[in-house]
Amino acid sequence: MRDDPRLPTSPRFWRSPLRGPWFTSVLGLVLLVGITVLFVTGLLSYAAYNPDLSPVNDKTPDKGILGFYLFSWPTDPHWLYRLNQGVHVTLGITVIPVLLAKLWSVVPRLFALPPARSLAHALERVSLLLLVGGGLFEFVTGVLNVQLDYVFPGSFYPLHFYGAWVFFAAFVAHALLKTPMALRNLRGLREEKDDLVSPHPAEPTVSRRGALWFVGGGSLLLFLTTVGQNFDGLRRTALLAPHGGADPGSGPDGFQINKTAAYAGIGEAETGEDAWRLVVTGRTGTVRLSRAQLAGLPLHSSALPIACVEGWSTSDQWWRGVRLRDLAALVGYDGDPPDVFVESLQQHGAFRRAALRANQVADPRSLLALYVNGEDLSPDHGYPARVIVPAAPGVLNTKWVARLSFGDL
């Protein structure tokens, strides 16, 4: 079976002259940098949710020691999450051609026989299967999430989180084994004749450097058709992002959203002046405020973006409303405000409730916003009131707020 050239288990089946240590090493070193950045920004993105603050923020239960990196997410700089998630998603899509080319370059090893020549070889093969399987799983689920295609057999958050740890563990083991050899190959000190080099190569139609240019061109094309979702002026160039071509309309409320009021089941019956009241609870009891009463409190303005886990973001919008720390003072927290638990009018769906840390509540830019860019919030942007917090993921900037519960969570 190993010698039958019609079967992928035979080295003679793989005839491309491009495969070899140098070509694989170049791709591997690019992925070494790219995947490390992806892993770090992914951990930071997860930490931004403050998942150990409240069970409703934690979308990956029973994480155990994998939660060791968690810390209070800062509010400065206010564009921190926008930058982090823009890098994470844009880079993840950009390196897809490199990942596919790397998998193509080493595919003969997946079919090599015997499956294990020794214990060490067996462990290497297992790590390779975890690396390939984990990599494909992470990139597929990530791309589907960016495209808002939630076709997972469960929640995206735990699937992507645990998949990332499996993939990155295999990636680290593989990198420790292969990086020294890759560096030698890249320097051109020797062209090793290993199992990737075809014993009977076909006639070349492109050089290895030409193939690398082709892969790099594919990455550049994906970058140019994705990165625009982070910038209002370039949004229409983001052809591969759902928030690239959609027209949010014009006027003060004419900027991107993820979820409409109609989708959330929010209508006039819930948000009308006679129906809606904000309930604020805390140390000294409960306060109920109409929108007119909120508008009569001292108002403040903040210039903050909306940044989403899918990678898209807006430029800074001018929000105006009541500071969260001032609302905390109404219910007995005159000094340092505590955490707050935010509940929306929305009855179904993820993140209709969220928790914010005390440092987020205390920031003077954190608002219960009533207006944006000089006008009332539109229903789709959270009328009658929404939370806006610097550097927080978009889903924690709860819309259609119904209740604020201040206290240690």
Side-chain angles (χ1 to χ4, degrees):
M1 183 179 296
R2 289 185 61 189
D3 297 327
D4 189 341
R6 296 170 299 176
L7 298 176
T9 53
S10 171
R12 291 183 293 171
F13 178 85
W14 308 99
R15 301 194 60 201
S16 173
L18 296 179
R19 289 191 180 92
W22 184 85
F23 185 71
T24 299
S25 297
V26 173
L27 297 171
L29 290 174
V30 172
L31 288 176
L32 177 64
V33 176
I35 289 176
T36 300
V37 174
L38 285 175
F39 187 70
V40 171
T41 53
L43 289 182
L44 290 175
S45 177
Y46 183 70
Y49 285 75
N50 290 315
D52 63 340
L53 176 62
S54 171
V56 300
N57 284 25
D58 189 2
K59 300 302 178 182
T60 57
D62 303 320
K63 57 186 178 295
I65 62 171
L66 298 183
F68 69 91
Y69 58 86
L70 297 177
F71 54 91
S72 296
W73 187 250
T75 55
D76 280 308
H78 72 275
W79 40 259
L80 177 60
Y81 190 76
R82 182 184 185 190
L83 173 64
N84 183 86
Q85 207 58 18
V87 169
H88 183 74
V89 171
T90 304
L91 178 61
I93 292 176
T94 298
V95 300
I96 287 176
V98 183
L99 176 69
L100 294 178
K102 177 68 182 331
L103 293 178
W104 173 86
S105 73
V106 299
V107 69
R109 287 178 177 162
L110 298 179
F111 295 92
L113 293 176
R117 296 189 294 269
S118 64
L119 178 60
H121 183 246
L123 292 175
E124 182 181 350
R125 292 294 295 275
V126 170
S127 69
L128 189 61
L129 289 175
L130 291 175
L131 181 68
V132 173
L136 291 175
F137 179 83
E138 284 299 285
F139 279 86
V140 168
T141 55
V143 169
L144 288 174
N145 186 62
V146 170
Q147 297 300 319
L148 310 181
D149 290 329
Y150 304 115
V151 293
F152 318 109
S155 172
F156 166 76
Y157 295 93
L159 291 174
H160 204 65
F161 177 82
Y162 291 119
W165 278 107
V166 172
F167 169 56
F168 196 71
F171 176 77
V172 169
H174 187 75
L176 291 174
L177 290 172
K178 300 298 183 180
T179 297
M181 183 183 298
L183 291 172
R184 290 196 299 270
N185 293 329
L186 192 61
R187 295 189 189 109
L189 297 180
R190 59 175 177 168
E191 178 70 13
E192 296 182 355
K193 296 294 183 181
D194 65 4
D195 54 343
L196 293 179
V197 179
S198 174
H200 299 286
E203 192 69 22
T205 57
V206 65
S207 68
R208 286 176 176 171
R209 294 186 184 276
L212 288 177
W213 278 108
F214 179 75
V215 173
S219 290
L220 178 61
L221 180 62
L222 289 179
F223 174 81
L224 294 176
T225 52
T226 303
V227 70
Q229 68 174 332
N230 298 285
F231 306 98
D232 291 342
L234 299 177
R235 200 171 303 278
R236 289 188 178 277
T237 67
L239 302 178
L240 300 182
H243 288 85
D247 183 4
S250 59
D253 287 275
F255 56 95
Q256 307 304 100
I257 59 169
N258 235 16
K259 188 185 302 177
T260 66
Y263 175 86
I266 307 297
E268 178 68 21
E270 295 82 18
T271 62
E273 182 65 29
D274 294 333
W276 183 83
R277 292 294 183 271
L278 174 70
V279 179
V280 185
T281 64
R283 180 186 294 156
T284 58
T286 299
V287 174
R288 296 171 61 87
L289 299 166
S290 68
R291 196 172 190 276
Q293 289 172 319
L294 282 168
L297 296 175
L299 300 181
H300 302 269
S301 296
S302 299
L304 300 172
I306 295 289
C308 201
V309 68
E310 290 94 3
W312 66 270
S313 59
T314 72
S315 59
D316 289 355
Q317 310 296 323
W318 277 99
W319 308 90
R320 188 162 178 80
V322 183
R323 287 174 174 169
L324 292 182
R325 68 185 191 185
D326 292 342
L327 291 170
L330 292 179
V331 288
Y333 299 98
D334 295 318
D336 293 334
D339 309 326
V340 65
F341 186 67
V342 186
E343 297 175 78
S344 173
L345 290 172
Q346 183 181 345
Q347 296 299 309
H348 305 286
F351 292 105
R352 64 187 183 276
R353 299 174 297 169
L356 298 172
R357 287 193 184 276
N359 68 302
Q360 295 173 309
V361 176
D363 193 294
R365 297 165 295 178
S366 296
L367 304 176
L368 182 72
L370 307 176
Y371 311 97
V372 64
N373 299 324
E375 298 289 342
D376 285 346
L377 294 169
S378 69
D380 289 342
H381 281 296
Y383 181 89
R386 69 169 296 163
V387 165
I388 186 73
V389 173
V395 291
L396 298 186
N397 292 315
T398 308
K399 297 193 287 189
W400 313 295
V401 174
R403 188 181 188 94
L404 298 172
S405 300
F406 290 95
D408 295 332
L409 301 178

